[in-house]
C-alpha cells in the first residue's frame, strides 16, 4: 500500500482507493479521464488526483454499463441521474430465444402518442394495443383489449401525491409492468415510483431505446430484482430514526407478542448503530482501508435504516408510546 492509495480527509479518495472501490483499473481510469472526461478530479498541491463521492458513484455506474456492452464514449458525459436511469434500463435479463408473441404496449401521453403515430416502430416484436393522448382519454375509452404487457405513461411533472394515482392507472389498464416517462420530479418521488415497481425514465427518450425497455420488461419475470444493487456513495447517510432513549424504552416495554419482536429488533438496531460508528471511525482513522470502510459505512447505514422502519411498524402495532422530543416514528 502506497501513500497515493490513501484517502484524504473529507471523504476524498486517491486513485488506488477509487480503483478498488469501483473495479476500474487505475490505468483505465486515467485513460477514461484523458480521452472522455468521465470525471474531473481535484488535484493536491503535489498533483495527486483527489476523487469525491460523486466521482466514485459515476465511475461505479459507468463500469456497470461498459461491462454490459455500452461504449465508454456513449456514457462518459451523462449526468449522475442519467447514469442511474440508464442502469435501470440495462439491468434487464436478455430474453432466452425469440418470444412466443409480440410484446403488447399501451402508450398514454400526448407527446409520446404523437411520436408513435409519426414514427411507428416497425418491429414484429412490438404490438401497440393503444395510443391515448391523455389519461382521461384512456379512462373514457374503458378497458384495452388485448391486455397490454407494458404500459408507457407520460407525465411532464410528477408530484409525490400522484404516485398512487399512477399505480391505480396501471392497475386499470391491466399491464404487468409500467414505464413512467417524466420531465421533472424530485428524488423522493422517483424512489416512491421505484418502490411500486414503476420504472421511471426521464424525458426525452429515444423510441428505439423505449422499445428495448419494453421488450426487456416483457421478457422479465414479474419478480423482485435479486441482483445486488451498487451502493451510491454520493447519497447522504440516512439519519437515525430512534434516539438511544427511544430504543431503551422500546426494549423495556411489555410486548403483547410472545416472540418479543420489539426487544430483538432493538438489539439489531443497536448492533448496527455500533458497527456504523465503528466503520465511520475506521474510515477516518485508517487511511489505507478508506475505500472498504466507506462501503461498509454506507451499507450498514442502509441496513440500519431498513431495520428502523421495521421497528417503527412494531412500535405502532404494539402501541408503545415514545416521547416526541426523543425520537420520531
Amino acid at each position: 500500500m502506497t501513500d497515493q492509495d490513501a484517502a484524504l480527509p473529507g471523504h476524498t479518495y486517491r486513485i488506488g482507493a477509487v480503483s478498488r472501490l469501483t473495479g476500474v483499473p487505475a490505468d483505465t481510469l486515467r485513460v477514461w479521464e484523458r480521452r472522455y472526461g468521465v470525471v474531473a478530479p481535484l488535484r493536491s498541491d503535489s498533483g495527486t488526483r483527489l476523487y469525491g463521492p460523486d466521482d466514485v458513484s459515476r465511475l461505479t455506474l459507468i463500469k456497470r454499463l461498459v461491462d454490459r456492452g455500452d461504449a465508454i464514449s456513449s456514457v462518459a458525459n451523462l449526468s449522475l441521474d442519467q447514469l442511474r436511469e440508464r442502469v435501470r434500463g440495462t439491468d434487464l435479463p436478455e430474453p432466452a430465444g425469440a418470444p412466443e408473441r409480440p410484446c403488447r404496449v399501451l402508450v398514454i401521453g400526448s407527446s409520446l402518442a404523437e411520436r408513435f403515430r409519426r414514427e411507428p416502430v416497425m418491429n414484429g416484436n412490438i404490438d401497440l394495443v393503444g395510443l391515448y393522448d391523455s389519461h382521461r382519454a384512456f379512462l373514457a375509452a374503458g378497458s384495452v383489449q388485448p391486455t397490454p404487457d407494458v404500459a408507457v405513461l407520460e407525465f411532464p411533472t410528477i408530484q409525490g401525491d400522484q404516485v398512487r394515482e399512477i399505480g391505480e392507472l396501471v392497475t386499470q389498464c391491466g399491464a404487468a409492468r409500467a414505464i413512467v416517462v417524466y420531465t421533472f420530479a424530485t428524488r423522493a418521488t422517483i424512489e416512491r415510483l421505484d418502490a411500486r415497481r414503476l420504472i421511471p425514465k426521464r424525458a426525452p427518450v429515444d423510441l428505439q431505446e423505449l422499445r428495448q425497455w419494453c421488450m426487456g420488461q416483457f421478457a422479465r419475470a414479474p419478480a423482485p430484482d435479486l441482483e445486488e444493487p451498487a451502493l451510491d456513495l454520493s447519497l447522504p447517510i440516512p439519519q437515525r430514526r430512534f434516539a438511544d432513549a427511544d430504543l431503551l424504552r422500546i426494549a423495556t416495554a411489555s410486548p403483547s407478542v410472545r416472540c418479543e419482536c420489539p426487544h430483538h429488533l432493538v438489539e439489531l438496531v443497536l448492533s448496527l448503530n455500533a458497527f456504523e460508528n465503528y466503520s465511520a471511525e475506521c474510515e477516518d482513522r485508517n487511511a489505507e482501508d478508506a475505500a472498504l470502510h466507506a462501503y461498509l459505512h454506507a451499507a450498514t447505514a442502509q441496513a440500519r435504516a431498513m431495520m428502523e422502519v421495521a421497528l417503527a411498524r412494531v412500535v405502532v402495532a404494539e402501541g408503545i408510546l415514545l416521547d416526541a422530543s426523543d425520537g420520531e416514528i
Side-chain angles (χ1 to χ4, degrees), residues 64 68 91 225-231 295:
R64 292 180 68 182
R68 284 161 170 73
D91 276 353
D225 187 358
L226 299 180
E227 181 177 347
E228 176 186 353
L231 281 175
Y295 179 92

Side-chain angles (χ1 to χ4, degrees), residues 85-95 101 103-105 126 148-152 175-180 194 196-201 209-225:
E85 291 179 6
R86 195 176 186 98
V87 164
R88 289 192 188 101
T90 57
D91 276 353
L92 302 172
E94 293 294 330
R101 61 171 176 79
C103 174
R104 299 167 183 159
V105 177
I126 293 290
D149 301 300
V150 180
V152 181
R177 295 188 176 277
I179 297 172
V180 181
D194 279 330
R196 284 179 170 260
R197 309 296 293 173
L198 302 171
I199 312 301
K201 300 293 179 184
E209 191 173 27
L210 184 58
R211 180 191 67 80
Q212 293 173 1
W213 289 336
C214 289
M215 287 302 302
Q217 293 298 320
F218 175 49
R220 196 179 196 184
D225 187 358

Side-chain angles (χ1 to χ4, degrees), residues 45-93:
D45 293 340
S46 61
T48 301
R49 289 175 169 86
L50 308 177
Y51 300 83
D54 281 1
D55 296 327
V56 174
S57 295
R58 280 184 56 79
L59 291 167
T60 300
L61 295 172
I62 288 173
K63 175 68 161 53
R64 292 180 68 182
L65 290 168
V66 170
D67 286 347
R68 284 161 170 73
D70 280 277
I72 180 62
S73 58
S74 69
V75 298
N77 295 318
L78 296 179
S79 69
L80 192 54
D81 285 341
Q82 288 172 328
L83 288 170
R84 292 184 182 115
E85 291 179 6
R86 195 176 186 98
V87 164
R88 289 192 188 101
T90 57
D91 276 353
L92 302 172

